[in-house]
């Protein structure tokens, strides 16, 4: 868990790199968190849709380190196992089979 300036962020499932970023570089992580919160507030999508869309982006970009954390976040927002797999695979037509690399990781994180 990371606490800073009244903001508490659960780091369970976050990659080691992200945890180090949050804990070891507080000024950068504060600035980053503020930007993320402002972008989130500006986005008209509901929270679950944003979480699923973010999973799609991570899978399409091959950024699997954040998948477990973001799957758990989507799950807390009510995403089903089927919605998680659908989000991971939505990029299949655009980027090809590379997205399937994220599927086992996402489903394991959901089942954890």
């Amino acid at each position: 868990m990371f606490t800073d300036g009244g903001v508490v962020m659960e780091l369970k499932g976050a990659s080691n790199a992200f945890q180090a970023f949050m804990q070891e570089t507080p000024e950068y992580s504060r600035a980053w968190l503020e930007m993320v919160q402002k972008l989130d507030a500006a986005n008209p999508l509901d929270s679950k849709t944003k979480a699923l869309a973010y999973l799609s982006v991570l899978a399409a970009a091959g950024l699997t380190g954040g998948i477990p954390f973001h799957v758990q976040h989507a799950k807390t927002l009510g995403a089903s196992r089927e919605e998680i797999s659908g989000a991971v695979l939505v990029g299949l037509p655009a980027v090809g089979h590379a997205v399937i690399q994220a599927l086992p990781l996402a489903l394991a994180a959901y089942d954890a």
Side-chain angles (χ1 to χ4, degrees), residues 27-45:
E27 289 184 33
Y28 284 98
S29 58
R30 258 193 308 275
W32 175 84
L33 187 56
E34 182 179 325
M35 182 265 313
V36 167
Q37 290 171 336
K38 287 180 179 181
L39 288 172
D40 185 59
N43 191 318
L45 297 175

Side-chain angles (χ1 to χ4, degrees), residues 16-109:
N16 290 338
F18 186 78
Q19 289 185 44
F21 168 68
M22 293 299 287
Q23 294 169 352
E24 301 296 331
T25 59
E27 289 184 33
Y28 284 98
S29 58
R30 258 193 308 275
W32 175 84
L33 187 56
E34 182 179 325
M35 182 265 313
V36 167
Q37 290 171 336
K38 287 180 179 181
L39 288 172
D40 185 59
N43 191 318
L45 297 175
D46 65 87
S47 295
K48 185 173 94 170
T49 301
K50 285 187 277 191
L52 291 168
Y54 198 79
L55 283 172
S56 297
V57 171
L58 291 175
L63 300 172
T64 57
I67 296 274
F69 177 84
H70 289 284
V71 165
Q72 286 300 312
H73 178 64
K75 188 176 178 180
T76 65
L77 295 171
S80 69
R81 193 173 195 271
E82 292 76 21
E83 287 174 316
I84 297 296
S85 61
V88 168
L89 296 176
V90 78
L92 190 59
V95 300
H97 75 282
V99 298
I100 67 171
Q101 299 302 314
L103 189 58
L105 186 59
L107 295 177

